[in-house]
Every structure is written in structure tokens, then in C-alpha cells.
Amino acid sequence: MTRPRTLYEKIWDAHVVEQRADGTCLIFIDRHLVHEVTSPQAFAGLRASGRTVRRPDLTLAVPDHNVPTTPRLDAHGNKLPIADPESAAQLAALEKNAPEFGIRYIDAVAPEQGIVHVVGPEQGFSLPGTTIVCGDSHTACHGGIGALAFGIGTSEVEHVLATQTLLLQPAKTMEVRVEGEVGPGVSAKDIILHITGVIGAAGGTGHVIEYTGSAIRALSIEGRLTVSNMAIEGGARAGLIAPDETTFDYLKGRPYAPKGADWEAAVAYWKSLATDPGATYDKSVVIDAADIAPSVTWGTSPEDVVPITGVVPAPGSFADPSKQTAAAKSLAYMGLEPGTRMQDVEIENIFIGSCTNSRIEDLRAAAAVIKGRHKADNVKWAIVVPGSGLVKAQAEAEGLDRIFTDAGLEWREPGCSACLAMNPDKVPPGERCASTSNRNFVGRQGPGARTHLVSPAMAAAAAVTGKLTDVRELMA
Amino acid sequence: MTPLDKVEGRAIPFGLKNVDTDVIIPAHWLKTTTREGMGRGAFESLRADPDNLFDRPEYKGAPILIAGDNFGCGSSREHAAWALGDLGIRVVIAPSYSDIFSGNAVKNGILPVVLPQQAIDRLMEVAETDPVFVDLEHQTVTTQYQDRFSFEIDPFRKMCLLEGLDEISLTEKSDAAIGAYEAKLDADRPWMRPAA
């Protein structure tokens, strides 16, 4: 009998092309997602060396980081020009590179366009048991459907384009088990914020985290994508959630997913991937779902998490001296005093979107809180950015767009938007944003911007009251 | 890629923990289609302070950067490695790195040395006034005093850095193995190809 293996080990073993004497493995890559920011130098490298793309059929390109979220077509259906010349040049480069190298390309004005990590699963291009890479750290997201998915740099993008492989060392394994039922108002986002607070921003370094336990099993695919998306915020190379009936129901019938007899064969294979009884992880963390509250960040690292009922911590409350220094710097940047109740922190900007929280379920959760209410007067800027054109169309069919616009929020076109402020959607210096994105880094949402990471329902609650708010108080 | 063996010179005693790649190079510097000139945007938010460490005369062009735990966390942007390289940095010394950053660094001829916090603290002290010596072949970091710290490095990465290897050329030697894997995959799991 073979040794019991984890989900990660099974996927890894199935992708080893060659193992070298020093332990480095040549790993086959099943899916390569490409966007406009981290690919131009890779295509230029291919051109300079006279190389081609080995497997254009396994590659999908879509622009998302730079695209404006304002209308992209005029009244006559013609493409509107992009004001920022640098963004325009980068988008033009992808539009030119994709057909030149024979790669599938979703245009910025196509109905399927969206954030690459929303598009992959939505199109059934991302599948369980596959290896997926993209020049973007939030590729970890696709672990939510049971794919071994991780972000890579531009040199590796070029390497995958040219060879469809990567040279990698096996990762260590880590289990994060969340048992029990979460309380009302607690979402997948709160689960992963809480986990990040517990394990720390470097807690998963060198590891692939498998999320297990009844609270994870109970999540929809949208929720699982949210959790796995932020595996990287805990330092992990990737996140994984074992594929199950929820996964199969989500993927069945999607454009690039297997059909007919192929589908049955695929499901049988996917069912064999779950971690074997008796398999062990290098590291394990167990979390009681009942301990998780609606959560919010106070600092400039995603590990700086407190329950919404909590207060801004004092730097001196941390045991580690380097964390004390970091916390003091964070508080200075965030303009916060230790001891301040999180619920007293006023918010001027709201961002509902990003590859973490821009799927239909996220928009429904935000709309449920905001319905029949209006944004507070001190909230100057509040945008809702659906993750893809298909999410946008679905939300409009359900009337969610009207709920947002009636409440004074703006309804935008799909893209990465204010998550990383590469397009015109930025938070002004010194102002706060309750944001459903994944990073509260210094300057992430614009120079001097102060980010508080929250769930979609919590962002909606902050929009209504004008300050960080316990969404449970707004739930009837 | 320029081969790397011995590096000596001033080391910037930066030392901060959880420094993310957004801090190393903010997103607006990513709107480019080339790898060049990133040094101008390196540590932009910190360098807005006229008295910042990076622009002090003694650290201008310093080849070594000393950092804290989890250096290079966050975004996968290789622009962070390009920016450090453009500043003239060939070695980073820290207790730990994000996995993606350390890979990107090696691919750009930058050596990520891992040393325990105690060694970092000592090197931070030395770096205030004196140079630091890094020897990749012998895997040591030394100073003009009695300090001698040994570090571990993955042998494949060490070889790539010492020889300035281009990984794509190396992988192309495995072309037949990749072809065999693809053929077996098509036979065993034909549904793995995108359906549409």
C-alpha cells in the first residue's frame, strides 16, 4: 500500500516531469493566466530569443489591472480611449501580444472580461487538480476549487510561456482546520482575516495551506475562493480546498469545463484527490468557528486584525520588539491612537470589489445590508466594482445595481480597480477606506491612503453609518 | 544574468519586518513594458523623507541590504527585484523572505541570504560604519571584526547565481521529457485540455 498523501502531495506528484538530483522538480503547468501588467517583459523576452509559446491552448489572457471602471464604449458602441497613456500602452501591448503568440484573449470590452481570478473559475478554465500560475500573487485564489495555484514573477511567466513548466522545490504542508459554525454576519472574508491574524503574515511561508473543517466545507465556491485568495497574505505559496460536490456543481456546464463522458471521468479523478486518512501535515492550526467575529484590520499588514468589537492595540502589547516598531509605524501611518474603539473610526471611502470579494455572492451580501438605506453624508466616494462582466450582468438581472445606486454608491465596470490603484480609482492621501480587497499595505490604494480590510457586508455597513460598524447591528 | 560570487561593500541597515513589494516599488511604477529604470521608484514612500537611509551618501550604491522578517511579502511583482537591482543591490540579508520574492531575486542575480535575527542585529550594527563581506561559494557573511555567519542555500539556486544561468535554456534541455509528459497526460486524462 502506498503512503497516505495530502491533497497537495497528490497534485504535485501528478505534475512532476523530471526530478533533479538536488530535489528540484520540473513541474508541468496545466493553466497559465496572463494579464497586462506582468507579461509585456516576458513577451519581449520571447521575441528577443526567438522563442514561441509552447502551449497557447493552455494559456488565457485578459486585461484587468489597468482598465478603467468607467464606461468603455460610447453611445455608438465604439471603444473609448484610455486617458492614461502608460495604461493604454500596457493594454495595447497585451492586445497585440496575445494574437501574435496565438493565445486566447478576452478583450477589455468583451462580456466575459473581468479580474483574471474571477474569470478563470467562472469560465471553467480553472479546474480541480490542475496546476495554475499567473504573474499575480492572488493566483492562490484558484485553490478554492482544489487547484494548486500560485503567483509567479515575470521571468517565470516567460519560462512557462516557453516551456509550459516551472523549476520548483516541493513546499511544506500546513493544515488550517476551521471547525464548527460561524455566527450571523460572519463571512468567508472574516474567516480568512481571522486566520491571517492568528498565523501572521509569515505564518505560511514555505508552505501550501490546505483549509479543512466543517466551516470550510459549508462555504460556497465564492466563499472558498475568498479564503484561498488570501492564503498569500499568510505568507503561503498557495491555498487548497479539497474539491467536493459543491465544486462539481459550480463547474458543471462552464465553457472550458469537460463535457459528457469527459465530465464523468474528470469527477472520478477529482474525487480521488482528497487528503488520505492518516496523511500528515508539517504544521497544523485548529480554529473554532465560534471564535470568529466580523473582523477588520487596524494597521498596514494583513495580520493586523481585530474583531469589530475590539480596539486599536498599543504597540507595547506585542511581545516581539520588531512587531512593536512595525505597529508604531503602522499606527502613525493610519492616524490611529491605541485604545480607540474600531467602531468609532470614521470612513470617507468604500470599495466593494477585487479578486477577493467581487463575485455575485459578495454583491448580494453587500446589497442585503444596503437595501432601503443610504450612504452616510461623510462617505465621499463609494464604488461597487463587479469581478467580471458576467457577474455584472447577473447582478443587474437581480436588481442589485439599483440597490447600490439608490443608496448613493457608484456601479462600475469590472476590473482590479482601487485594490491596487493602478487605474484611476484611488483613495486620496490621509483618507480612510473600508475595502473588501486583500491588502492594507502603505500606499496600496493610493499614496497616503488608509485601508481597513473588511467583508462586503461590513463595507456596506460602513457605507451606511460612515464609520466602521458591526454589521450584526444592522441585521434585522 | 550577471554571475555572482563575492560581494563586499556597505550594507544598508534597513531592518524592517514584513516589508511588502508595494513598499519596494509602488504599483504606479508597474505601468511599463520594460525592466529598466525601476530604481527611481524604489522605496518611494520612504524616500519622500529627505533624511531617508537609502539616499544617505554612505549608502548610495551600496550592494547589500539588511532587512527584517518576511521581506518582499505581498504582490508577486518582479519589478521589486528589478528595482533593487537598479539601485545596485546584489545581496539581501534577512531572517526570512516571501517565497515569490526570493525566487524573483535569484532570477535577477540577487542573492537572498537567510540568517537568524541575532546575526541580523549584529550586522545592522556593523553596517552603521563598516562594510560587510558576502561569499556565495563558501556561504558566509563576514565583517572586518571577528564576525563569521554561515548561511544555507538551495544548491540549484547557488549554481544559477554562481554561473549566471538562464533557466529557460536549462529547461529546454528537458524538451523530450516535457513532450513525453504531455503525451501521457493526453492519453490518461484527455479531459484536462480546455473543452472549448
Side-chain angles (χ1 to χ4, degrees):
Chain A
M1 199 185 136
T2 52
R3 183 180 65 87
R5 292 180 298 166
T6 63
L7 169 59
Y8 166 74
E9 290 167 319
K10 290 183 189 184
I11 301 178
W12 175 271
D13 291 350
H15 288 85
V16 176
V17 174
E18 264 184 356
Q19 180 158 8
R20 292 167 199 242
D22 59 21
T24 307
C25 290
L26 192 62
I27 292 294
F28 191 75
I29 302 301
D30 296 312
R31 299 287 187 270
H32 188 186
L33 299 162
V34 174
H35 65 83
E36 78 278 18
V37 178
T38 55
S39 67
Q41 295 87 348
F43 286 115
L46 291 181
R47 243 181 230 113
S49 57
R51 292 183 170 113
T52 56
V53 175
R54 184 181 178 99
R55 294 295 300 272
D57 60 320
L58 303 182
T59 313
L60 175 67
V62 58
D64 57 6
H65 283 60
N66 269 289
V67 289
T69 55
T70 45
R72 292 171 193 158
L73 296 173
D74 67 14
H76 308 289
N78 300 313
K79 271 194 196 183
L80 288 164
I82 287 166
D84 177 355
E86 289 180 306
S87 291
Q90 225 171 32
L91 290 162
L94 185 61
E95 198 171 341
K96 175 173 173 287
N97 285 328
E100 261 190 50
F101 287 92
I103 293 169
R104 304 166 197 273
Y105 176 66
I106 299 176
D107 191 86
V109 297
E112 300 83 10
Q113 183 270 342
I115 306 171
V116 67
H117 308 310
V118 175
V119 171
E122 188 175 79
Q123 291 296 318
F125 190 74
S126 310
L127 295 176
T130 56
T131 47
I132 303 179
V133 297
C134 174
D136 188 288
S137 60
H138 289 111
T139 308
C141 194
H142 308 259
I145 57 156
L148 177 58
F150 46 89
I152 55 177
T154 298
S155 294
E156 289 177 313
V157 170
E158 187 178 337
H159 194 281
V160 175
L161 288 171
T163 69
Q164 205 57 36
T165 62
L166 279 176
L167 283 160
L168 297 170
Q169 284 280 352
K172 285 184 267 187
T173 56
M174 178 168 176
E175 179 189 31
V176 174
R177 177 178 288 274
V178 189
E179 290 291 358
E181 258 183 68
V182 294
V186 176
S187 70
K189 181 62 164 291
D190 301 299
I191 294 177
I192 191 61
L193 285 173
H194 182 89
I195 290 171
T196 311
V198 170
I199 69 172
T205 304
H207 293 73
V208 167
I209 298 178
E210 183 178 347
Y211 301 95
T212 65
S214 53
I216 301 294
R217 295 256 73 81
L219 291 173
S220 66
I221 290 301
E222 285 85 350
R224 294 179 189 186
L225 292 167
T226 299
V227 167
S228 197
N229 177 277
M230 289 184 67
I232 184 75
E233 300 339 314
R237 188 72 200 240
L240 274 174
I241 295 171
D244 59 10
E245 293 301 329
T246 306
T247 322
F248 311 145
D249 289 346
Y250 173 89
L251 287 170
K252 194 168 188 182
R254 297 200 178 254
Y256 293 116
K259 309 279 189 299
D262 275 352
W263 172 259
E264 301 306 325
V267 169
Y269 177 74
W270 295 337
K271 283 181 176 170
S272 75
L273 294 174
T275 294
D276 296 324
T280 53
Y281 300 87
D282 294 307
K283 208 165 157 181
S284 267
V285 174
V286 181
I287 286 168
D288 183 350
D291 290 344
I292 306 175
S295 299
V296 55
T297 60
W298 54 266
T300 58
S301 168
E303 70 181 20
D304 298 338
V305 176
V306 284
I308 183 62
T309 49
V311 299
V312 177
S317 67
F318 297 98
D320 171 8
S322 68
K323 183 66 194 175
Q324 293 177 4
T325 314
K329 277 183 189 288
S330 284
L331 292 185
Y333 179 82
M334 293 296 290
L336 289 173
E337 290 297 327
T340 305
R341 280 165 23 102
M342 292 312 296
Q343 294 180 79
D344 292 338
V345 174
E346 288 200 12
I347 296 290
E348 299 89 19
N349 304 276
I350 305 289
F351 172 56
I352 299 175
S354 87
C355 58
T356 312
N357 280 133
S358 62
R359 296 177 185 82
I360 191 68
E361 184 182 286
D362 301 317
L363 303 186
R364 286 178 190 147
V369 172
I370 225 146
K371 191 174 185 179
R373 296 181 164 117
H374 199 271
K375 79 170 177 64
D377 289 341
N378 64 307
V379 172
K380 296 191 278 187
W381 189 67
I383 62 169
V384 184
V385 184
S388 72
L390 298 185
V391 170
K392 181 169 186 259
Q394 174 71 29
E396 288 172 355
E398 295 178 20
L400 305 184
D401 58 321
R402 290 294 303 274
I403 294 175
F404 291 122
T405 53
D406 287 352
L409 280 69
E410 295 175 44
W411 179 244
R412 297 291 190 94
E413 297 296 320
C416 300
S417 181
C419 173
L420 85 168
M422 273 196 83
N423 81 347
D425 305 337
K426 293 179 176 62
V427 175
E431 291 190 12
R432 290 181 199 287
C433 182
S435 177
T436 68
S437 55
N438 38 58
R439 287 184 176 141
N440 50 354
F441 296 159
V442 168
R444 173 81 178 181
Q445 295 195 289
R450 294 164 169 170
T451 303
H452 295 279
L453 300 177
V454 289
S455 73
M458 288 280 286
V464 168
T465 64
K467 51 188 190 169
L468 293 174
T469 297
D470 189 338
V471 67
R472 293 172 294 196
E473 291 173 10
L474 298 187
M475 290 164 61
Chain B
M1 197 171 91
T2 324
L4 179 143
D5 183 8
K6 291 184 174 59
V7 176
E8 59 174 87
R10 293 304 295 270
I12 307 168
F14 184 40
L16 270 186
K17 180 184 170 140
N18 287 335
V19 171
D20 58 73
T21 54
D22 275 79
V23 164
I24 301 174
I25 185 87
H28 71 96
W29 288 93
L30 273 51
K31 293 186 200 181
T32 168
T33 53
T34 68
R35 296 172 188 239
E36 284 77 38
M38 292 277 151
R40 285 176 295 138
F43 300 103
E44 187 176 57
S45 59
L46 302 170
R47 289 165 78 188
D49 172 3
D51 190 34
N52 77 84
L53 205 53
F54 297 92
D55 291 317
R56 283 192 204 158
E58 64 267 38
Y59 297 124
K60 268 276 190 239
I64 302 167
L65 177 71
I66 307 174
D69 220 5
N70 202 23
F71 185 74
C73 61
S75 162
S76 61
R77 57 189 69 169
E78 192 164 324
H79 310 65
W82 299 337
L84 295 181
D86 200 37
L87 280 185
I89 290 166
R90 297 301 310 275
V91 178
V92 184
I93 306 176
S96 72
Y97 301 88
S98 88
D99 295 324
I100 305 179
F101 173 81
S102 60
N104 285 340
V106 170
K107 286 177 181 62
N108 288 279
I110 296 172
L111 166 64
V113 171
V114 177
L115 285 178
Q117 188 62 48
Q118 222 177 345
I120 300 288
D121 293 343
R122 168 63 188 156
L123 290 170
M124 291 275 287
E125 200 181 325
V126 173
E128 290 293 336
T129 47
D130 298 301
V132 169
F133 307 91
V134 179
D135 183 336
L136 174 58
E137 177 67 46
H138 299 99
Q139 299 180 211
T140 58
V141 178
T142 52
T143 69
Q144 66 195 51
Y145 304 100
Q146 298 297 313
D147 308 295
R148 184 189 161 87
F149 304 106
S150 295
F151 61 88
E152 295 297 320
I153 182 167
D154 167 75
F156 179 71
R157 284 185 167 182
K158 181 175 178 179
M159 177 187 75
C160 287
L161 283 165
L162 283 172
E163 298 177 21
L165 274 186
D166 161 20
E167 270 190 26
I168 298 180
S169 307
L170 201 68
T171 300
E172 281 174 337
K173 292 180 187 161
S174 300
D175 186 62
I178 299 170
Y181 180 93
E182 288 172 322
K184 191 169 183 326
L185 183 64
D186 276 343
D188 292 352
R189 298 195 288 280
W191 51 263
M192 288 279 273
R193 281 185 184 245

